[in-house]
Amino acid sequence: MTHWGAVTALQRLPQLGTEPVDLSVELPAPSDADGRSALTEGIRSLYQKCQFYDVFLVGGGNRFPAHMAALGALSPVFREQLVEMRAKREAESLEESSADQGHLELHLDGVSSTEAIRALLDFVYGLAGGYAVSSDEANVDVLRMAKHYQIQALQELAARRLVQDLSTANVVQRLKTCREFALEGLFEQISDELIGSGEALREVASHQEVEQEPELLQILLVRAARCLRPPTEPAAVEKRGAPPTWEAAGARDGKRAKVER
């Protein structure tokens, strides 16, 4: 017995209804649930502070610290080269008494512009400010690295640079760059813009630079003839479409010009 009466055992636990009722609690969206932003910012900060780097990119007479993980994650070519370099270093360290041989050095063959290498690394680490190089020479080096290391997004940015500040003073060199890196669509756009301006075409034709590029001159003449062809000519000629390569364009249309004469 207690002050409240006798204690009896419950034969059955009480139930709160027969059907469960769903409850909903609204929470704010997670800022970074999987930590990707924090990881990206952390790697970027390590690059900016030159901390924990494990490889040097060498070019233009300078060495640029970087992280193999960042380079390898962005480019399969970087990844393969770095794996081979590290395996070679480990094999050499087993043969020598000293295992400390310093950081790996990856030489960027054919690249002389330090500005281009900085632009590459800024892209790798996603630094703010966008793509910006101050010269055509640096931009060509970026195109060269982007193509070799199979970084398509960087190659597109460098290709867009070819149409910025375009004028008769640099159009021939930029057309040559388009040919060097197989930017056929961009080549056609620039050459059509040049041909569409009679004043610009006359200015370029008077330059000695274009006279030193006979293949380029021939292609421009062929495209100009195609654009300026009178509309009364048979439509079948137009339906044949453009040949697949610049060389085929010059050979085919040059042969046709001899027949017409």
Side-chain angles (χ1 to χ4, degrees), residues 55-60 62-66 113-115 117-118 121:
V55 65
F56 284 109
L57 297 185
V58 182
N62 289 275
R63 299 194 308 168
F64 300 84
S113 171
T114 57
E115 182 183 9
I117 300 174
R118 291 193 186 96
L121 289 172

Side-chain angles (χ1 to χ4, degrees), residues 124-180:
V124 168
Y125 289 95
L127 295 187
Y131 178 78
V133 293
S134 61
S135 68
D136 285 359
E137 293 76 15
N139 193 58
V140 168
D141 273 349
V142 173
L143 279 170
R144 183 170 292 110
M145 291 186 292
K147 182 178 180 179
H148 177 73
Y149 291 106
Q150 300 178 15
I151 309 176
Q152 182 63 32
L154 180 59
Q155 185 171 357
E156 292 177 0
L157 291 174
R160 287 178 174 271
R161 172 68 170 74
L162 295 174
V163 298
Q164 297 177 7
D165 304 320
L166 187 64
S167 70
T168 55
N170 55 30
V171 67
V172 173
Q173 184 59 46
R174 293 190 180 185
L175 286 172
K176 289 169 58 180
T177 299
C178 289
R179 295 196 66 198
E180 178 182 355

Side-chain angles (χ1 to χ4, degrees), residues 5-186:
V7 177
T8 59
L10 294 176
Q11 298 298 322
R12 183 179 180 183
L13 295 177
Q15 296 183 352
L16 299 177
T18 58
E19 295 293 334
V21 178
D22 293 336
L23 301 176
S24 177
V25 178
E26 297 292 337
L27 294 176
S31 57
D32 185 19
D34 54 8
R36 285 180 294 181
S37 296
L39 177 61
T40 301
E41 289 297 329
I43 294 176
R44 184 181 299 122
S45 177
L46 292 177
Y47 166 64
Q48 293 174 315
K49 296 177 181 178
C50 291
Q51 294 178 332
F52 298 107
Y53 57 87
D54 50 9
V55 65
F56 284 109
L57 297 185
V58 182
N62 289 275
R63 299 194 308 168
F64 300 84
H67 302 86
M68 287 191 286
L71 297 174
L74 190 67
S75 162
V77 181
F78 267 134
R79 184 163 58 250
E80 292 175 4
Q81 288 186 351
L82 291 170
V83 168
E84 292 177 1
M85 292 172 60
R86 188 165 59 180
K88 182 179 179 181
R89 171 65 62 84
E90 291 175 353
E92 292 175 350
S93 64
L94 293 176
E95 298 175 357
E96 299 178 3
S97 57
S98 176
D100 185 11
Q101 302 180 29
H103 296 301
L104 293 174
E105 292 188 353
L106 196 159
H107 292 261
L108 304 172
D109 297 332
V111 177
S112 59
S113 171
T114 57
E115 182 183 9
I117 300 174
R118 291 193 186 96
L120 167 68
L121 289 172
D122 287 352
F123 178 84
V124 168
Y125 289 95
L127 295 187
Y131 178 78
V133 293
S134 61
S135 68
D136 285 359
E137 293 76 15
N139 193 58
V140 168
D141 273 349
V142 173
L143 279 170
R144 183 170 292 110
M145 291 186 292
K147 182 178 180 179
H148 177 73
Y149 291 106
Q150 300 178 15
I151 309 176
Q152 182 63 32
L154 180 59
Q155 185 171 357
E156 292 177 0
L157 291 174
R160 287 178 174 271
R161 172 68 170 74
L162 295 174
V163 298
Q164 297 177 7
D165 304 320
L166 187 64
S167 70
T168 55
N170 55 30
V171 67
V172 173
Q173 184 59 46
R174 293 190 180 185
L175 286 172
K176 289 169 58 180
T177 299
C178 289
R179 295 196 66 198
E180 178 182 355
F181 295 99
L183 304 173
E184 296 192 20
L186 191 58

